[in-house]
Amino acid sequence: MLHVAPAGILSFPTGFTVERALAFNAADSDYLSRTPSSSGNRRTWTFSAWVKRNAITGGPSSGDGVHLFGADRGSGFGDRISFGNGDTDDRLNVQFNDTGAGRLQTKAFFRDPTAWTHFVVAADTEQGTAANRIKIYINGTLLTAADLDTASYPAEDYDTMMNHDAAQHIGSRGGNASQFMDGFMAEVAMIDGTQLDASSFGKFDSNGVWVPIDPSGLTFGTNGFYLDFKS
């Protein structure tokens, strides 16, 4: 069962208070799912989330990877954002058609169960330059080729499953609902139709710490959403 975490679990002195986070328990197969009634912009979008993991390698999702967001195109082939890629190495992976259409994997591992980390994945597959088609920001910093172990970009004009009229999953692999997230997620947003950078969701404070800002004034588009988990 999904639980709303208490106020203050993600609190920074920014003038913007994050009141709630959502707790995902992999052992209970927790996840969120929504199927849009029609497709939005499948080529240009931005996904943003603050994440704090509980179970790392060896946890309930061991051996399968841990999914933050994604959707499936059928027959087990999906586009998704996850820790690991069918394994337990805990690097961030952004992959398309189960890596058949592209895959970006970080050199960094994300194994600290005490830390909140902000992830932004911003897509615009209509870009002529491959490296501009998928951009990854971690705690406000844009990753470069030097930060990636694998950098295979989707083809120009590739239609992702994000914003498609197929089940969009938060906290599990799309399609078959597996490989579940274990931990907390807060301030989860999808922007349909715009490739934004991390400054739309956070800023560096006077101490150089990346902190959240209020994204509610952004244009979310046809299938976009903003989940603050206040309810």
Side-chain angles (χ1 to χ4, degrees):
M1 179 182 294
L2 290 161
H3 298 278
V4 176
I9 193 166
L10 181 57
S11 180
F12 297 102
T14 63
F16 172 62
T17 301
V18 177
E19 297 184 15
R20 297 287 187 269
L22 199 63
F24 294 79
N25 185 357
D28 291 335
S29 301
D30 290 340
Y31 70 100
L32 300 175
S33 178
R34 172 177 176 260
T35 302
S37 59
S38 61
S39 291
N41 193 324
R42 297 171 58 188
R43 298 178 181 178
T44 306
W45 48 264
T46 306
F47 176 78
S48 170
W50 290 79
V51 180
K52 182 177 181 289
R53 301 187 68 185
N54 280 348
I56 314 298
T57 300
S61 297
S62 179
D64 294 321
V66 176
H67 285 69
L68 300 180
F69 181 71
D72 201 283
R73 62 182 60 249
S75 302
F77 295 103
D79 299 343
R80 52 190 188 262
I81 302 166
S82 65
F83 297 117
N85 173 44
D87 50 39
T88 57
D89 68 9
D90 300 309
R91 288 176 283 184
L92 185 72
N93 275 261
V94 181
Q95 58 194 58
F96 302 94
N97 202 14
D98 269 17
T99 75
R103 175 189 178 193
L104 283 75
Q105 179 177 260
T106 64
K107 290 182 178 178
F109 293 73
F110 298 92
R111 291 175 172 166
D112 185 353
T114 68
W116 281 98
T117 306
H118 183 223
F119 297 95
V120 173
V121 178
D124 182 357
T125 66
E126 295 183 354
Q127 293 284 333
T129 301
N132 290 335
R133 293 174 199 153
I134 305 296
K135 297 181 179 181
I136 301 173
Y137 301 82
I138 296 177
N139 287 338
T141 299
L142 173 64
L143 302 192
T144 67
D147 301 308
L148 300 172
D149 259 345
T150 302
S152 173
Y153 293 89
E156 189 171 354
D157 297 334
Y158 175 80
D159 287 318
T160 73
M161 289 299 290
M162 282 67 167
N163 296 319
H164 193 23
D165 56 352
Q168 312 284 300
H169 284 200
I170 297 172
S172 81
R173 176 172 175 167
N176 60 2
S178 62
Q179 303 170 19
F180 301 99
M181 164 71 183
D182 198 279
F184 298 93
M185 297 179 71
E187 294 293 292
V188 179
M190 165 58 80
I191 307 297
D192 178 354
T194 312
Q195 185 186 48
L196 298 177
D197 62 29
S199 66
S200 294
F201 308 96
K203 67 178 183 180
F204 289 103
D205 69 9
S206 59
N207 295 313
V209 177
W210 185 251
V211 295
I213 61 174
D214 185 358
S216 61
L218 297 175
T219 299
F220 293 92
T222 301
N223 289 326
F225 54 81
Y226 169 43
L227 304 178
D228 59 14
F229 305 123
K230 288 182 180 179
S231 300

